[in-house]
Amino acid sequence: MKYFIFFFALFLGVPIGTNLAVKYEKIEKIVFFLMIFFTVETVTINFVSREFYRGTSRGFEIGLVDLAMLIIWQVMKRRNDLFPKLEKPPGTALYFSFFFFCWVSIINSASGYVVHSYFEIWKMLRMYAYFYVIYNYVNNWEKIEFLMKIIGIIIIYIGVIVLKQKYIDGMYQNAGPFPHQNSLVMYLIVFSSIVFSYLLNRRDVKFWYWLIVFGMAAISVISTLSRAGMFIFILASAIVWFYSFVQGFTLKKIGITLLLLVIAIAGVTKAMDSIMERFETAPEESGLTRIILAKTAVKMANDKLFGIGLNNFGVKVNPPYEYGIDIYPYLHKGKMPPEDFEERNGLVETAYLSIAAETGWHNLIIYLALLFYFLHMNFSNMKRLRFYPYQFFSIGLMGGLIVIYLESTLEWVLRQTNNFYQLMMMFAIIAATRKLYLKQEL
């Protein structure tokens, strides 16, 4: 039934959606909204599904976000008056250099688990397509304004689900619509940083609405009871605050700062019992396990020039491979792991070491170059757009990107589908911003 529904949507829904979006601008905007929204509420199906595999990809995944992306791509192809030329985005060469070595690493994939590597290859191709489409679609500043409206709706949607989980369902740590609370934190860090910058740096904003939006993001992060999450939320906000004040002091910025400090103190005071309980009851084994898994990843990266195989960490951390011999007593209470690979250990809790282990140290360097290429481009955008109303987006991304890059030293979340989509979305906006000011469309 799920395959029937998918092919019905692909071969009937996409053409109909394309025709309507070409004819009606409102339909086009709705489709673009869905293209962003479904990075949160990921409605997907997996072909060759491996749902219990502990890896970064568990099948050849296709979701509604991809179908919405196909519609927008077709709209751009057919509307030559609005999209005269589709361009290759900056950073493409770096991305496909990283992709190439991910593909090469498959020579070392475990027997019977090569298909798991191709799960990730397929995901990376989808991510580039998403990046390509958004870059070309955002061809004027009005699209940035519309994206801000989408961000506000998404944050409120996440916040409502979190509040429901917390106060109606009685959940202790809330993940909202995400697979894990760490995914929620990383996703909201980026969007909340942009919203905070919007509040501080734009004059023509609906102040109380955006203050509520930012507050919903803060409540959602606190409700995850993620110790690192709460810290990096504060850090991201501090970075945004710093860069905002570097651009100049205003009474509005000072007033917002004081107001948010009062609200923050009140909110933390109310949630203090839960926060303290989380800190006091956090298992010591969690930190130890992270360290041992990190050492295991280093062993893998040192052992194979091209890594142990993309999306194969979850296999080779187990017997008969000896990389993870130190981890067994901690994950299995002194017993050997189960024979079924599908139920075994998972991933190293560090995105960077995960990439090094699976695809080699050289590919980690390429990946870091990709991350900092766009961070540097964003910094350049921020300087060039000084005194222009759209500088807020670049300021917000300085806080969001710096912090999620730091968080990725402790989490592999950046490789999850939701967060990978968002990262490529932000890269596309950074590149599109550069395109717009180079074309002098300010």
Side-chain angles (χ1 to χ4, degrees):
M1 179 58 69
K2 70 178 182 180
Y3 297 133
F4 172 79
I5 293 172
F6 167 74
F7 285 111
F8 179 82
L10 178 63
F11 293 117
L12 191 61
V14 170
I16 291 174
T18 300
N19 288 328
L20 291 172
V22 168
K23 190 174 182 180
Y24 302 105
E25 184 182 0
K26 288 185 178 180
I27 300 298
E28 176 195 317
K29 288 185 175 182
I30 289 172
V31 174
F32 183 67
F33 167 79
L34 294 176
M35 184 177 161
I36 308 299
F37 176 78
F38 284 124
T39 63
V40 177
E41 195 62 76
T42 49
V43 181
T44 63
I45 66 167
N46 277 337
F47 293 87
V48 195
S49 181
R50 299 289 186 272
E51 291 299 330
F52 297 105
Y53 179 64
R54 299 287 302 279
T56 53
S57 296
R58 302 177 182 183
F60 293 111
E61 187 179 38
I62 302 177
L64 290 182
V65 61
D66 303 304
L67 299 185
M69 177 178 65
L70 277 175
I71 293 174
I72 293 296
W73 176 65
Q74 287 294 317
V75 169
M76 291 191 296
K77 294 285 285 185
R78 290 172 57 177
R79 291 297 304 271
N80 292 328
D81 55 329
L82 297 178
F83 305 95
K85 182 181 178 182
L86 301 186
E87 303 172 350
K88 181 176 66 176
T92 293
L94 266 177
Y95 186 87
F96 278 103
S97 297
F98 174 65
F99 175 86
F100 173 76
F101 286 109
C102 287
W103 177 72
V104 168
S105 75
I106 297 175
I107 61 175
N108 292 326
S109 296
S111 177
Y113 287 84
V114 173
V115 69
H116 293 65
S117 298
Y118 282 107
F119 293 163
E120 189 73 7
I121 288 292
W122 170 245
K123 181 167 78 175
M124 292 177 70
L125 290 172
R126 287 164 48 225
M127 296 301 159
Y128 180 79
Y130 193 73
F131 169 59
Y132 175 89
V133 169
I134 292 182
Y135 169 76
N136 282 285
Y137 183 74
V138 179
N139 59 0
N140 56 56
W141 295 109
E142 286 74 21
K143 300 281 177 56
I144 300 290
E145 290 287 358
F146 183 57
L147 182 60
M148 280 306 300
K149 294 178 182 178
I150 297 173
I151 288 173
I153 292 169
I154 285 175
I155 291 176
I156 291 173
Y157 173 76
I158 294 170
V160 169
I161 293 181
V162 166
L163 290 174
K164 175 183 177 295
Q165 290 175 345
K166 185 178 181 66
Y167 294 107
I168 297 178
D169 301 336
M171 294 176 61
Y172 176 60
Q173 287 184 274
N174 308 117
F178 292 86
H180 192 274
Q181 55 264 27
N182 292 336
S183 309
L184 179 149
V185 166
M186 186 173 285
Y187 196 96
L188 278 180
I189 288 295
V190 176
F191 278 179
S192 66
S193 296
I194 296 168
V195 168
F196 186 38
S197 178
Y198 195 54
L199 268 170
L200 288 174
N201 296 287
R202 281 292 292 265
R203 296 178 181 178
D204 52 337
V205 299
K206 297 177 181 178
F207 177 77
W208 290 108
Y209 170 76
W210 289 105
L211 184 65
I212 291 170
V213 169
F214 184 71
M216 291 288 274
I219 290 169
S220 297
V221 171
I222 293 173
S223 297
T224 65
L225 296 180
S226 166
R227 294 164 293 173
M230 287 182 274
F231 171 75
I232 63 173
F233 181 83
I234 295 171
L235 179 60
S237 299
I239 293 171
V240 171
W241 180 88
F242 171 77
Y243 279 115
S244 297
F245 272 85
V246 164
Q247 307 310 313
F249 284 77
T250 65
L251 290 176
K252 177 187 175 182
K253 292 178 184 179
I254 295 171
I256 291 174
T257 301
L258 294 175
L259 177 62
L260 288 177
L261 280 175
V262 171
I263 294 173
I265 292 170
V268 170
T269 301
K270 184 179 185 305
M272 184 58 70
D273 291 343
S274 297
I275 294 172
M276 291 304 298
E277 182 181 357
R278 171 61 178 153
F279 275 83
E280 292 169 358
T281 59
E284 295 181 8
E285 293 83 359
S286 175
L288 184 59
T289 300
R290 285 174 181 267
I291 294 171
I292 298 175
L293 281 170
K295 291 179 179 179
T296 301
V298 171
K299 287 181 188 177
M300 293 177 178
N302 289 339
D303 185 51
K304 300 288 185 182
L305 175 62
F306 294 112
I308 53 94
L310 186 66
N311 198 22
N312 264 230
F313 191 98
V315 176
K316 294 194 175 182
V317 72
N318 297 288
Y321 306 96
E322 296 184 356
Y323 299 115
I325 195 168
D326 295 331
I327 199 68
Y328 307 152
Y330 298 95
L331 292 188
H332 301 281
K333 299 180 180 179
K335 300 178 182 179
M336 291 298 288
E339 293 182 2
D340 183 1
F341 273 140
E342 300 293 328
E343 301 291 343
R344 292 188 179 193
N345 303 340
L347 285 168
V348 56
E349 295 287 348
T350 305
Y352 306 125
L353 287 181
S354 171
I355 289 168
E358 293 184 349
T359 66
W361 289 114
H362 60 287
N363 210 28
L364 172 59
I365 293 172
I366 296 172
Y367 182 70
L368 291 173
L370 178 69
L371 296 184
F372 284 96
Y373 172 79
F374 283 102
L375 184 65
H376 178 266
M377 185 186 295
N378 186 66
F379 184 74
S380 177
N381 290 347
M382 185 179 70
K383 291 193 298 181
R384 286 175 180 265
L385 291 171
R386 189 173 186 182
F387 305 124
Y388 288 96
Y390 296 99
Q391 189 196 33
F392 76 89
F393 214 100
S394 298
I395 293 175
L397 282 180
M398 287 306 297
L401 290 182
I402 288 172
V403 165
I404 67 170
Y405 289 178
L406 290 174
E407 185 184 5
S408 293
T409 62
L410 301 173
E411 304 289 350
W412 67 273
V413 172
L414 205 55
R415 298 184 66 186
Q416 284 188 351
T417 300
N418 310 68
N419 303 93
F420 203 164
Y421 270 130
Q422 189 195 46
L423 180 69
M424 298 308 288
M425 183 201 313
M426 294 303 105
F427 285 173
I429 298 301
I430 290 169
T433 299
R434 177 177 178 270
K435 172 182 64 177
L436 290 176
Y437 73 63
L438 288 179
K439 289 182 177 179
Q440 298 182 342
E441 293 193 12
L442 290 170

